[in-house]
Amino acid sequence: QVQLVESGGGLVQPGGSLRLSCAASGVTFSINVMGWFRQAPGKERELVATITNTNYTNYADSVKGRFTISRPDARNTVYLQMNSLKAEDTAVYYCHRQQFGMDYWGKGTLVTVSS
């Protein structure tokens, strides 16, 4: 089993920045993909960004150039630096990890972009 715990959400004004963190614990393996998804009120959950254990990254078009996903090591921690935030970025952000074909989710952290 893998547990994922997110932190770093909150209220920020349009144009501001936030950094989300996700820490994985439990039975972790070096070959994995970690990432962030988000779900806005009334909408389906969508991919924001992913990063492999070899640091290959993938971004949704809506966040390219504004968000940066990173991980200081190949195993257990991932960050999402969010800059130039917009009202439409408001959502619950979920950390995700995939290893050996299994998917794991955090409980989510709320990001609200509002003046």
Side-chain angles (χ1 to χ4, degrees):
Q1 280 285 15
V2 175
Q3 295 79 43
L4 302 174
V5 179
E6 304 101 334
S7 61
L11 173 64
V12 63
Q13 292 186 343
S17 298
L18 279 176
R19 189 175 85 154
L20 305 182
S21 301
C22 174
S25 61
V27 182
T28 60
F29 295 96
S30 59
I31 300 175
N32 61 82
V33 180
M34 293 190 72
W36 293 92
F37 289 70
R38 68 186 181 186
Q39 188 167 17
K43 295 188 176 181
E44 294 188 352
R45 192 172 297 189
E46 63 177 4
L47 179 145
V48 176
T50 60
I51 185 168
T52 70
N53 56 288
T54 56
N55 284 322
Y56 178 82
T57 59
N58 181 49
Y59 294 92
D61 288 342
S62 59
V63 306
K64 282 181 181 177
R66 300 188 298 122
F67 291 10
T68 302
I69 190 168
S70 63
R71 55 194 307 179
D73 59 69
R75 296 181 77 91
N76 294 340
T77 306
V78 66
Y79 301 106
L80 185 70
Q81 178 66 42
M82 304 185 294
N83 299 328
S84 302
L85 282 160
K86 306 175 182 179
E88 50 263 44
D89 295 318
T90 295
V92 177
Y93 285 70
Y94 296 92
C95 183
H96 173 262
R97 183 181 176 103
Q98 186 178 78
Q99 59 183 41
F100 285 104
M102 298 290 291
D103 292 291
Y104 301 92
W105 295 92
K107 293 183 178 181
T109 185
L110 177 63
V111 172
T112 303
V113 184
S114 175
S115 56

